Amino acid sequence: MQPTPPIPTDDEIDAILMPHKGREGPLLPMLHGLQAEYGHIPAPAISRIAHIMNMTRAEVHGVVSFYHDFREKPAGRHVVKICCAEACQSVGGDVMVEETLAKLGLDWHATTPNGALTVEPVYCLGLCACGPAAMVDGKVVGRLDAPRLERILTEAGA
Amino acid sequence: MKIYVPMDSAAKALGADDVADAIRREAEARGLDVTLIRNGSRGMIWLEPLVEIDRGDGREAFGPVSVEDVPALFDGRMDCLGAVEDIPFFARQTRLTFARCGVIDPLDLADYEAHGGLAGLRRAIAMTAPEIVAEVTDSGLRGRGGAGFPTGIKWKTVMEADAPQKYIVCNADEGDSGTFADRMIMEGDPFTLIEGMTIAGLGVGATRGYVYLRSEYPDAITVMNEAIRIARAKGVLGGDILGSGRAFDMQVRVGAGAYVCGEETSLLNSLEGKRGVVRAKPPLPALEGFLGRPTVVNNVISLATVPVVLEKGAQHYADFGTGRSRGTVTLQIAGNVARGGLFETAFGITLDEVVNDLAGGTRTGRPVKAVQVGGPLGAYIPVANFDAPLGYEELDAKGGLLGHAGLTVFDDSADMLHMARFAMEFCAVESCGKCTPCRIGSVRGVETIDRIARGDADAIPLLTDLCETMTDGSLCALGGFTPLPVMSALTHFPDDFATQKEAAE
């Protein structure tokens, strides 16, 4: 199992939030900053943002939950995002991906019990002339086939 | 000896980083003096990683190059493609917006200037604001994001608005599948976007700019941030643009994975740190945009085209094209194609020429079934309509939309009912939730298509009716145009919607 991450203190959170406070529309940069540091948006950060930005916690939660990128709990140590959009489907990506995930017993959005890997769908990586495409911990991969995807997922800990 | 290996994401996805490393090692082992330049992509994705070698007498292209090919590349045993400019796919293009992409080192400002960069900005500095706006209007440039609204008219509205602060916002939330032109130019020639936004700032009286760039493009984010830093350090951005005494500065803002934020009002809310919910128009963003101030919201390609318009003049640009679609279109040939990539050409080329000739048909070798033009909200165009010239009005007349000019090709194995269902499902996932036709309609759309799939023919008129409601009643293009792929699939490929029922009978 993944160790539960330590809960950050208000001071640690503020150190991430405050440099953005004076910017125009600071909330998304703040949330990206938190996620870059902790891998998710820690619950105490919602109250801190609400306090600093003079918003209600509900409003902050509304923003966090609107965007696919922001997580409420940490992802696995590796994140593999696989494109599910039309261009990748046109080269058989959808079928190939579903079969490979089924073979390895992986589910979309889920993290493996060993905490190693999270698999997520993504709608377009801009690699539409060399699909099926994926992004492995921020690194792009094109012209995937089943053996290659299986190798990527297995190496990531599936 | 200079060797060029692209750092474009598509090239990287096909192994360009490993090839670059292998070239570096091989050169070292052979004791060769090699300057390795990481350029942008020339846009011929099927040839990536496309390596170019300049031994002092021009650049010669090789591709696709794998790590294993590198020794042969140095030995001269690898087949040479000749000069990139002579490869037919490239030779047939008219490159205005993408003239420098893949040619220069994207982060070398001197290289940029040596290839015509900053000439447009210098000319703009010597012009009055109305002259700049008139130049853009006269060029006939229209919004390349999809809507096709005349860029100059939008700028004029912002220019004439009276406000203490105005903004230039670049929509780089290129979420449409089948499109990658924004990504390519940001990774391959970022200074052209910076120059375009700066000219826009001078034209409308805005001193601050934002590039709203999607988080799915980490490489583009890195390149753009670095380019902005360099431009600022060299005085292209900041309080005294090229010594003119005029000010403009800009920054990148990273999106957070919401497709709907490519819609301009939703993008503005997101930029302000709110949920990316669509705003009703009016008020127009040109009058009440970012933080309620007059704001130009333009697509990456629109803004990246401005420098060449100013450099070569409005008439030069307007001389290309057809009808009311002036200048060049940056086609992105994607999906199941033998030769995919970026093809910049004058408006007016037909789908047939693009798909069957340039792209060489499908990658699988099977017959082409349909092309989705314009991303997830664009129509599936059947082969029978391939005579359609690619232009805003021309495609509209065929029941489609040009959108961001992405062309996703499907072979005859594509199940159009499945694609129609996917369009509704995508809309349901990505709907911002503000208006009912989109939020509820898309969910009902999935259910209705499932009924059709089970052989319930009564569900077909229901789907048609639902699509009409979504088209007429949605607040933005997401709900408003999702019916386009759905209805085009249903209209042109009725067999895919009837097989289950007939099988049951």
Side-chain angles (χ1 to χ4, degrees), chain A residues 66-68 121-124, chain B residues 173 175 214 216 256-262 266 276-278 376-377 422-434 438-439 442 476 478-479 482:
Chain A
F66 182 86
Y67 296 97
H68 299 302
V122 60
Y123 294 95
C124 198
Chain B
D173 196 46
R214 60 199 301 259
E216 292 86 343
Y259 173 77
V260 74
C261 290
S266 157
V277 173
V278 173
L377 307 176
F422 179 79
M424 282 292 188
E425 195 184 10
F426 184 72
C427 181
V429 172
E430 296 298 334
S431 174
C432 81
K434 178 150 179 157
C438 173
R439 185 185 68 244
S442 54
C476 83
L478 179 51
T482 291

Side-chain angles (χ1 to χ4, degrees), chain B residues 303-374:
Chain B
L303 288 163
T305 301
V306 168
V308 73
V309 168
L310 268 289
E311 181 198 346
K312 305 212 163 150
Q315 195 55 47
H316 178 83
Y317 192 76
D319 282 344
F320 298 96
T322 180
R324 286 175 54 218
S325 306
R326 309 311 313 173
T328 56
V329 59
T330 51
L331 298 174
Q332 298 126 84
I333 308 171
N336 195 337
V337 280
R339 293 189 292 270
L342 184 117
F343 192 91
E344 182 175 356
T345 184
F347 281 99
I349 192 170
T350 64
L351 260 177
D352 180 56
E353 185 178 350
V354 174
V355 175
N356 293 319
D357 185 8
L358 290 166
T362 62
R363 192 198 290 179
T364 48
R366 301 172 68 103
V368 174
K369 181 165 189 174
V371 177
Q372 188 178 29
V373 182

Side-chain angles (χ1 to χ4, degrees), chain B residues 147-201:
Chain B
F149 190 82
T151 305
I153 307 288
K154 193 184 272 186
W155 286 22
K156 188 162 184 277
T157 309
V158 178
M159 177 185 74
E160 288 170 350
D162 188 24
Q165 180 68 54
K166 300 177 191 178
Y167 296 96
I168 308 296
V169 170
C170 171
N171 183 346
D173 196 46
E174 186 180 50
D176 290 347
S177 178
T179 65
F180 45 84
D182 296 355
R183 179 187 63 65
M184 265 187 68
I185 200 102
M186 289 189 288
E187 292 176 356
D189 192 15
F191 291 124
T192 199
L193 176 57
I194 294 172
E195 186 180 347
M197 288 180 69
T198 309
I199 294 169

Side-chain angles (χ1 to χ4, degrees), chain B residues 424 441 444-452 456-470 483 486-487 490:
Chain B
M424 282 292 188
R444 295 290 170 258
V446 173
E447 293 166 0
T448 311
I449 293 171
D450 283 344
R451 277 177 60 186
I452 298 170
D456 182 353
D458 294 343
I460 291 180
L462 206 58
L463 179 66
T464 308
D465 190 48
L466 177 66
C467 281
E468 263 173 43
T469 305
M470 287 176 74
V486 175
M487 288 310 295
L490 179 64

